[in-house]
Amino acid sequence: MKTAIYPGSFDPITKGHVNIIERAAAVFDRVIVCVMVNANKCPMFSTRQRVEMIQMATDHLPNVTVDSSEGLLSTYAQQTQPCVIIKGIRSGNDFEAEYQMYWINHGLEGHVDTVFFPCEPGLMHVSSSVVKELGRYGAELSDYLPKSILPVFEQRIADIREGGNRK
Ligand code: PNS
C-alpha cells in the first residue's frame, strides 16, 4: 500500500492544503494528514480544533485520515513505513525551505523520501497566516477556506476575539 504523510501546522487548513490533499489522494492509496508542531509558530487554534477542521474539510476523501503528533516528522514517518512525506510548494522560497527540510528528514531516521506537489497558480496567495490576518478583521474568506469549515472558523475566531476558547 502506498501511503503518504502530509505534515503541517494547518492553523487552519486552507483551500491550498485541500488541493494538495485531493491530488495526493488521487495518487496514493492512503494519505495521513498529520498536525505537527512547528517550533517557529505559535498556533491560534488548539491541536484538537485543527484536527477537527481538517476532518471536516476532507470528509469527501475516503482514503484520507487525520492524525496529530508532537514528535519529529522523521520518527512519525519511520513508524508508518513504507511511506513518503508530501509537501506543497507555492514559491521559490517554499522550495528552498522544504529542500532543506527534505535533507534533514531524509538523514534522520529511515531515509524517508519527500514528494513535492506544486501549488495551483490560483492558490499561490493562500496561506494560513493570511487567513488569520484577514479573519481578525472579519474579512470575507470563502476564497481561502474550504466551505465546510467557514462557519466553525468564524465562530472560533470570534471566541478567540472574546477571550480565548482554545479547547
Ligand atoms: O505548515 P508548516 O508550519 O510549514 O509545517 C511545518 C512542519 C510542522 C511540517 C515542521 O515544522 C515539522 O516537521 N515539525 C515536526 C518536528 C520536526 O520533525 N521538525 C523537523 C526537524 S528540525
Short mmCIF file of all heavy atoms in Angstrom, two decimals, residues 117-140:
data_model
loop_
_atom_site.label_atom_id
_atom_site.label_comp_id
_atom_site.label_asym_id
_atom_site.label_seq_id
_atom_site.Cartn_x
_atom_site.Cartn_y
_atom_site.Cartn_z
N PHE A 117 4.50 18.65 -4.29
CA PHE A 117 3.38 19.00 -5.19
C PHE A 117 3.39 20.50 -5.42
O PHE A 117 3.26 21.28 -4.46
CB PHE A 117 2.03 18.63 -4.54
CG PHE A 117 1.67 17.18 -4.66
CD1 PHE A 117 2.17 16.25 -3.75
CD2 PHE A 117 0.82 16.74 -5.67
CE1 PHE A 117 1.84 14.91 -3.85
CE2 PHE A 117 0.49 15.39 -5.77
CZ PHE A 117 1.00 14.48 -4.87
N PRO A 118 3.54 20.94 -6.69
CA PRO A 118 3.47 22.39 -6.93
C PRO A 118 2.05 22.89 -6.72
O PRO A 118 1.08 22.23 -7.07
CB PRO A 118 3.89 22.52 -8.40
CG PRO A 118 3.68 21.19 -9.01
CD PRO A 118 3.75 20.17 -7.92
N CYS A 119 1.97 24.08 -6.14
CA CYS A 119 0.68 24.71 -5.87
C CYS A 119 -0.02 25.10 -7.18
O CYS A 119 0.64 25.49 -8.14
CB CYS A 119 0.99 25.95 -5.04
SG CYS A 119 -0.34 27.07 -4.82
N GLU A 120 -1.34 24.99 -7.21
CA GLU A 120 -2.11 25.51 -8.35
C GLU A 120 -1.89 27.02 -8.41
O GLU A 120 -1.94 27.69 -7.36
CB GLU A 120 -3.62 25.29 -8.12
CG GLU A 120 -4.05 23.85 -8.07
CD GLU A 120 -4.23 23.23 -9.45
OE1 GLU A 120 -4.20 23.98 -10.44
OE2 GLU A 120 -4.36 22.01 -9.52
N PRO A 121 -1.68 27.60 -9.61
CA PRO A 121 -1.40 29.04 -9.70
C PRO A 121 -2.45 29.90 -8.99
O PRO A 121 -2.12 30.87 -8.32
CB PRO A 121 -1.39 29.31 -11.21
CG PRO A 121 -1.09 28.00 -11.84
CD PRO A 121 -1.62 26.93 -10.93
N GLY A 122 -3.71 29.52 -9.09
CA GLY A 122 -4.79 30.32 -8.49
C GLY A 122 -4.80 30.29 -6.97
O GLY A 122 -5.58 31.01 -6.34
N LEU A 123 -3.95 29.45 -6.36
CA LEU A 123 -3.95 29.33 -4.89
C LEU A 123 -2.64 29.80 -4.27
O LEU A 123 -2.41 29.62 -3.08
CB LEU A 123 -4.22 27.87 -4.50
CG LEU A 123 -5.62 27.34 -4.85
CD1 LEU A 123 -5.69 25.83 -4.69
CD2 LEU A 123 -6.67 28.00 -3.96
N MET A 124 -1.78 30.43 -5.10
CA MET A 124 -0.44 30.78 -4.61
C MET A 124 -0.47 31.80 -3.47
O MET A 124 0.42 31.84 -2.63
CB MET A 124 0.42 31.32 -5.75
CG MET A 124 1.03 30.18 -6.56
SD MET A 124 1.93 30.77 -7.97
CE MET A 124 3.41 31.36 -7.18
N HIS A 125 -1.50 32.63 -3.44
CA HIS A 125 -1.58 33.68 -2.41
C HIS A 125 -2.25 33.18 -1.14
O HIS A 125 -2.37 33.92 -0.17
CB HIS A 125 -2.37 34.87 -2.97
CG HIS A 125 -3.78 34.50 -3.33
ND1 HIS A 125 -4.08 33.63 -4.36
CD2 HIS A 125 -4.97 34.86 -2.79
CE1 HIS A 125 -5.39 33.47 -4.43
NE2 HIS A 125 -5.95 34.21 -3.49
N VAL A 126 -2.70 31.93 -1.14
CA VAL A 126 -3.47 31.42 0.01
C VAL A 126 -2.54 30.82 1.05
O VAL A 126 -1.73 29.94 0.76
CB VAL A 126 -4.48 30.33 -0.48
CG1 VAL A 126 -5.20 29.70 0.69
CG2 VAL A 126 -5.47 30.94 -1.46
N SER A 127 -2.63 31.33 2.27
CA SER A 127 -1.84 30.75 3.36
C SER A 127 -2.64 30.88 4.66
O SER A 127 -3.52 31.75 4.77
CB SER A 127 -0.50 31.48 3.52
OG SER A 127 -0.72 32.76 4.05
N SER A 128 -2.30 30.05 5.63
CA SER A 128 -2.98 30.12 6.94
C SER A 128 -2.74 31.48 7.59
O SER A 128 -3.64 32.02 8.25
CB SER A 128 -2.46 29.01 7.86
OG SER A 128 -2.69 27.75 7.30
N SER A 129 -1.55 32.04 7.40
CA SER A 129 -1.23 33.34 8.02
C SER A 129 -2.15 34.43 7.48
O SER A 129 -2.67 35.25 8.24
CB SER A 129 0.21 33.75 7.75
OG SER A 129 1.05 32.67 7.91
N VAL A 130 -2.34 34.44 6.15
CA VAL A 130 -3.21 35.45 5.53
C VAL A 130 -4.65 35.27 6.04
O VAL A 130 -5.33 36.24 6.37
CB VAL A 130 -3.14 35.33 3.98
CG1 VAL A 130 -4.26 36.12 3.32
CG2 VAL A 130 -1.80 35.82 3.48
N VAL A 131 -5.09 34.01 6.13
CA VAL A 131 -6.44 33.73 6.61
C VAL A 131 -6.65 34.28 8.02
O VAL A 131 -7.66 34.92 8.32
CB VAL A 131 -6.70 32.20 6.58
CG1 VAL A 131 -7.91 31.82 7.41
CG2 VAL A 131 -6.86 31.71 5.15
N LYS A 132 -5.65 34.06 8.89
CA LYS A 132 -5.79 34.54 10.28
C LYS A 132 -5.81 36.06 10.34
O LYS A 132 -6.59 36.66 11.06
CB LYS A 132 -4.65 33.97 11.15
CG LYS A 132 -4.89 32.52 11.50
CD LYS A 132 -3.77 31.96 12.32
CE LYS A 132 -2.58 31.64 11.47
NZ LYS A 132 -1.54 30.89 12.16
N GLU A 133 -4.93 36.67 9.53
CA GLU A 133 -4.87 38.13 9.49
C GLU A 133 -6.21 38.70 9.01
O GLU A 133 -6.78 39.58 9.66
CB GLU A 133 -3.72 38.54 8.55
CG GLU A 133 -3.56 40.02 8.32
CD GLU A 133 -2.88 40.74 9.49
OE1 GLU A 133 -2.38 40.05 10.38
OE2 GLU A 133 -2.90 41.98 9.49
N LEU A 134 -6.72 38.16 7.90
CA LEU A 134 -8.00 38.66 7.37
C LEU A 134 -9.14 38.36 8.34
O LEU A 134 -10.04 39.17 8.54
CB LEU A 134 -8.29 38.02 6.00
CG LEU A 134 -7.35 38.40 4.85
CD1 LEU A 134 -7.69 37.60 3.59
CD2 LEU A 134 -7.43 39.90 4.55
N GLY A 135 -9.08 37.16 8.93
CA GLY A 135 -10.14 36.73 9.86
C GLY A 135 -10.27 37.66 11.05
O GLY A 135 -11.38 37.93 11.53
N ARG A 136 -9.16 38.18 11.53
CA ARG A 136 -9.18 39.10 12.67
C ARG A 136 -9.99 40.35 12.37
O ARG A 136 -10.52 41.00 13.24
CB ARG A 136 -7.76 39.50 13.04
CG ARG A 136 -7.01 38.44 13.80
CD ARG A 136 -5.77 39.03 14.47
NE ARG A 136 -5.14 38.03 15.31
CZ ARG A 136 -4.15 37.23 14.91
NH1 ARG A 136 -3.68 37.31 13.70
NH2 ARG A 136 -3.64 36.34 15.73
N TYR A 137 -10.03 40.71 11.06
CA TYR A 137 -10.77 41.92 10.67
C TYR A 137 -12.16 41.59 10.11
O TYR A 137 -12.82 42.44 9.55
CB TYR A 137 -9.96 42.71 9.62
CG TYR A 137 -8.66 43.20 10.18
CD1 TYR A 137 -7.47 42.51 9.97
CD2 TYR A 137 -8.61 44.36 10.96
CE1 TYR A 137 -6.27 42.94 10.51
CE2 TYR A 137 -7.42 44.81 11.50
CZ TYR A 137 -6.25 44.09 11.27
OH TYR A 137 -5.07 44.52 11.81
N GLY A 138 -12.55 40.32 10.25
CA GLY A 138 -13.88 39.92 9.81
C GLY A 138 -14.04 39.92 8.29
O GLY A 138 -15.16 40.05 7.78
N ALA A 139 -12.92 39.78 7.54
CA ALA A 139 -13.00 39.81 6.08
C ALA A 139 -13.66 38.54 5.53
O ALA A 139 -13.72 37.51 6.20
CB ALA A 139 -11.59 39.95 5.49
N GLU A 140 -14.11 38.64 4.30
CA GLU A 140 -14.74 37.52 3.59
C GLU A 140 -13.64 36.49 3.24
O GLU A 140 -12.63 36.85 2.62
CB GLU A 140 -15.40 38.11 2.33
CG GLU A 140 -15.69 37.17 1.19
CD GLU A 140 -16.69 36.09 1.58
OE1 GLU A 140 -17.60 36.36 2.39
OE2 GLU A 140 -16.53 34.98 1.08
#
